[in-house]
């Protein structure tokens, strides 16, 4: 008995192509971001040029540009140029941020690997973390005076909590299989923490750093309320006292651009230091 003839398969040309699977949200959003920014700038120009909003509440882009030129050359209240204000603000924010990184990362890792450390540090961090900086600013002034210590400490406290909690959460990223594999190869507890736990926690730590520097710039204006004579936050507060809305908007834009630039730097560092993030 002869077998039945084989049926011809489908024509490859008639088989519909399968669309490659993409993760939700994958792809570049740069063009969309640039387009939305252009639309917002155009709306800003339209609203101010038609006079729909008084200049006291929303100055025109040209007025903000003129305010930037005046501030750059020191033709504002106080007579200090914008670059000097930026230098002092950056020193306060990044100095406090560096101190927070040096202390909060070890504390967060310790909370993640030790129940004793978690019991010691977790309650005070969780207690003060929701408090706005302006709530404990008077107490810091009473304790440390009105010099740079109070300003840096206020920004430091704003940066400390998110870094410590991110490091603590990142410790959980190390799987039990990785830990057992290292232990089976003879690794000590310290070696497991150094070679397994810390690399696994690194992506979460970097995200915590990005969040913390944002909190630092947010707290800057509150910190420079403490008898500051120079700084971008102080410049904005001083301009508001004289109803210089153009200077206020210019200062806000400058703070946002500096913080955004540092966030881009942190994203670049995250891609270099933790290239495996999101590939597991």
């Amino acid at each position: 008995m002869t077998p039945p003839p084989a049926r011809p398969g489908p024509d490859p040309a008639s088989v519909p192509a399968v669309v490659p699977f993409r993760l939700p949200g994958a792809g570049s959003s740069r063009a969309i971001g640039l387009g939305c920014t252009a639309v917002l700038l155009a709306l800003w120009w339209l609203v101010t040029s038609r006079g729909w909003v008084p200049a006291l509440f929303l100055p025109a882009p040209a007025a903000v540009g003129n305010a930037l030129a005046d501030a750059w050359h020191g033709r504002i209240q106080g007579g200090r140029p914008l670059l000097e204000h930026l230098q002092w603000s950056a020193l306060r924010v990044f100095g406090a941020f560096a101190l927070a990184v040096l202390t909060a990362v070890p504390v967060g890792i310790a909370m993640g690997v030790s129940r004793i450390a978690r019991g010691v540090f977790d309650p005070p961090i969780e207690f003060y973390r929701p408090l706005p900086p302006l709530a404990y600013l008077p107490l810091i002034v009473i304790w440390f005076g009105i010099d740079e210590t109070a300003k840096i400490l206020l920004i430091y406290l704003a940066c400390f909590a998110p870094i410590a909690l991110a490091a603590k959460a990142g410790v959980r990223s190390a799987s039990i299989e990785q830990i057992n594999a290292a232990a089976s190869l003879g690794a000590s507890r310290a070696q497991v923490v150094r070679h397994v736990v810390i690399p696994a926690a690194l992506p979460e730590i970097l995200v915590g750093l990005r969040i913390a520097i944002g909190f630092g710039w947010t707290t800057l204006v509150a910190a420079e309320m403490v008898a500051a004579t120079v700084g971008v936050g102080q410049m904005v507060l001083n301009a508001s006292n004289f109803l210089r809305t153009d200077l206020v908007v210019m200062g806000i834009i400058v703070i946002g651009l500096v913080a955004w630039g540092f966030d881009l730097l942190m994203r670049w560092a995250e891609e270099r230091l933790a290239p495996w993030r999101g590939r597991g």
Side-chain angles (χ1 to χ4, degrees):
M1 182 177 182
T2 59
R7 296 181 179 179
D11 185 7
S14 63
V15 177
V18 178
V19 179
F21 176 76
R22 296 178 61 183
L23 293 174
S28 176
S29 60
R30 184 175 304 174
I32 300 175
L34 292 175
C36 290
T37 303
V39 170
L40 290 175
L41 291 176
L43 287 175
W44 180 17
W45 174 83
L46 179 63
V47 169
T48 54
S49 63
R50 295 298 182 91
W52 294 341
V53 178
L56 178 63
F57 300 107
L58 183 63
V64 175
N66 294 332
L68 176 61
D70 292 340
W72 184 263
H73 294 95
R75 297 192 297 265
I76 57 176
Q77 292 82 6
R80 298 177 183 266
L82 177 61
L83 186 59
E84 185 176 353
H85 287 289
L86 275 174
Q87 288 173 346
W88 276 98
S89 294
L91 178 64
R92 290 163 182 153
V93 172
F94 293 120
F97 176 75
L99 291 175
V101 172
L102 292 177
T103 54
V105 171
V107 167
I109 293 175
M111 286 194 298
V113 301
S114 170
R115 63 183 181 87
I116 297 177
R118 186 164 60 251
V120 171
F121 293 108
D122 198 56
I125 291 176
E126 290 293 348
F127 171 77
Y128 95 85
R129 181 179 62 86
L131 297 176
L134 286 176
Y136 47 84
L137 174 61
L139 190 60
I140 291 179
V141 172
I142 294 173
W143 286 351
F144 299 97
I146 58 175
D147 57 0
E148 293 299 318
T149 303
K151 302 176 183 63
I152 293 177
L153 180 60
L154 188 68
I155 301 173
Y156 167 83
L157 291 175
C159 296
F160 182 89
I163 297 176
L165 294 179
K168 172 188 169 184
V171 170
R172 306 298 181 185
S173 300
S175 64
I176 190 64
E177 291 82 6
Q178 293 173 320
I179 297 175
N180 289 335
S184 65
L185 294 174
S188 63
R189 180 178 176 85
Q191 289 174 327
V192 169
V193 173
R194 177 182 177 185
H195 297 287
V196 178
V197 174
I198 293 180
L202 186 58
E204 293 290 340
I205 293 174
L206 292 174
V207 172
L209 297 185
R210 290 174 54 192
I211 296 173
I213 195 62
F215 285 168
W217 283 105
T218 303
T219 314
L220 174 67
V221 177
E224 291 182 345
M225 290 174 61
V226 186
T229 58
V230 63
V232 180
Q234 188 274 338
M235 181 188 70
V236 171
L237 289 171
N238 195 25
S240 67
N241 294 331
F242 291 91
L243 298 180
R244 288 291 307 274
T245 315
D246 52 348
L247 276 177
V248 173
V249 174
M250 184 273 297
I252 292 173
I253 293 175
V254 168
I255 293 175
L257 289 177
V258 173
W260 182 46
F262 188 80
D263 184 75
L264 293 178
L265 180 63
M266 290 299 301
R267 293 184 189 182
W268 177 85
E270 183 179 350
E271 293 175 357
R272 299 302 184 274
L273 298 176
W276 61 87
R277 178 176 174 84
R279 299 182 182 179

